[in-house]
Amino acid sequence: MILSLVSWKGGCGKTTSSIHLAALLASRGTTMLVDEDRSRNASNWAGRGAGVLPFKAYPPRALGTEARKHEHIVIDTRGGLEDQDLLDLYENSDIVVVPAVAESMTLEALVNTVQTLKKHGKDTQKLRVLFTMARRASGKTDKVAEAKNAVMELGIQTLQTTIRATEAFKDACDAGRLVKDTRNPVGKLAWMDYERAFRELTA
Ligand SMILES: Nc1ncnc2c1ncn2[C@@H]1O[C@H](COP(=O)(O)OP(=O)(O)O)[C@@H](O)[C@H]1O
Ligand SMILES: [Mg+2]
């Protein structure tokens, strides 16, 4: 399976989701992560772990030699892809996960994405929006539920599962580990969020 992660802004959880979804894919078959972001966040994360993650991160150039050795490929991209990059990625992926934070800018970016795909004759069947960094709903407003509805109205598939907000992800990144392997007990719950999201993606 080729699973790509895209979004139009930085900082909405592409790299964090790439690392955790790659770990889950690795339990199904040999998996490589392709780090297309020049900041090399995913490569550095895997590097700090020095082999504790169940997959390796590679630069795009390694695809030619490494792809044939792996059953699954996860592609982490930089924010703000050019239209042509987006189209190439869409064309060459089985699933395109769009991590998003529930706020109005996310929806604006999604509308643009859908328009770009449609303008070039593509459907949006492969897109899956994954809401991340979700805080517990306070009072009557559930921002994530509202955002999910708005996305569904655009005709884009949204995962039911939402990834909770927790500092455990920063600890995981610093240590080069998965969120379940940090000292923060919430990390186990956050890992279960990714497990649920993964089951939805591969159902
Ligand atoms: N579910 C989450 N809860 C809290 N912080 C998160 C969560 N997911 C990611 N982060 C943090 O948000 C920042 C941006 O995440 P990152 O995965 O690097 O996004 P992107 O790759 O889209 O730029 C990082 O500091 C990361 O630790
Ligand atoms: Mg990133």
Side-chain angles (χ1 to χ4, degrees):
M1 169 185 289
I2 302 181
L3 195 154
S4 312
L5 288 99
V6 301
S7 70
W8 278 261
K9 297 195 314 155
C12 42
K14 283 183 301 297
T15 297
T16 304
S17 299
S18 299
I19 293 279
H20 288 88
L21 294 173
L24 286 157
L25 266 175
S27 67
R28 301 242 177 131
T30 49
T31 300
M32 68 184 287
L33 188 153
V34 181
D35 185 0
E36 288 194 348
D37 188 347
R38 264 179 296 176
S39 70
R40 296 180 53 88
N41 291 149
S43 309
N44 292 335
W45 186 325
R48 281 189 295 277
V52 300
L53 298 179
F55 60 86
K56 278 195 190 150
Y58 295 90
R61 258 191 215 93
L63 256 174
T65 48
E66 292 299 325
R68 70 182 84 118
K69 300 179 200 160
H70 295 88
E71 278 167 73
H72 305 298
I73 302 177
V74 174
I75 304 176
D76 184 24
T77 63
R78 64 188 164 79
L81 291 183
E82 306 294 322
D83 282 9
Q84 195 54 54
D85 281 344
L86 168 68
L87 291 165
D88 288 344
L89 198 71
Y90 192 82
E91 188 88 330
N92 292 290
S93 303
D94 298 306
I95 301 180
V96 177
V97 176
V98 186
V101 180
E103 58 186 28
S104 49
M105 268 166 65
T106 301
L107 297 177
E108 288 163 19
L110 268 170
V111 172
N112 290 337
T113 308
V114 173
Q115 279 169 349
T116 302
L117 290 171
K118 288 198 171 148
K119 195 166 72 193
H120 293 87
K122 306 264 183 284
D123 59 30
T124 54
Q125 285 304 309
K126 294 180 188 174
L127 293 184
R128 300 286 184 281
V129 177
L130 170 61
F131 283 99
T132 61
M133 302 183 208
R135 313 235 162 239
R136 196 124 22 97
S138 60
K140 283 183 188 146
T141 56
D142 184 344
K143 276 197 196 158
V144 175
E146 283 171 15
K148 274 184 191 166
N149 282 335
V151 172
M152 280 189 287
E153 276 165 23
L154 287 172
I156 307 175
Q157 296 182 56
T158 309
L159 298 186
Q160 288 292 321
T161 307
T162 299
I163 310 299
R164 74 194 63 209
T166 166
E167 294 297 311
F169 283 108
K170 288 201 174 61
D171 300 343
C173 179
D174 291 345
R177 294 170 178 270
L178 299 174
V179 74
K180 69 180 166 73
D181 298 322
T182 61
R183 287 202 198 104
N184 187 332
V186 183
K188 302 261 187 309
L189 299 173
W191 169 254
M192 286 162 71
D193 291 342
Y194 272 112
E195 283 183 321
R196 272 194 292 273
F198 180 69
R199 279 200 294 273
E200 280 191 64
L201 283 171
T202 55

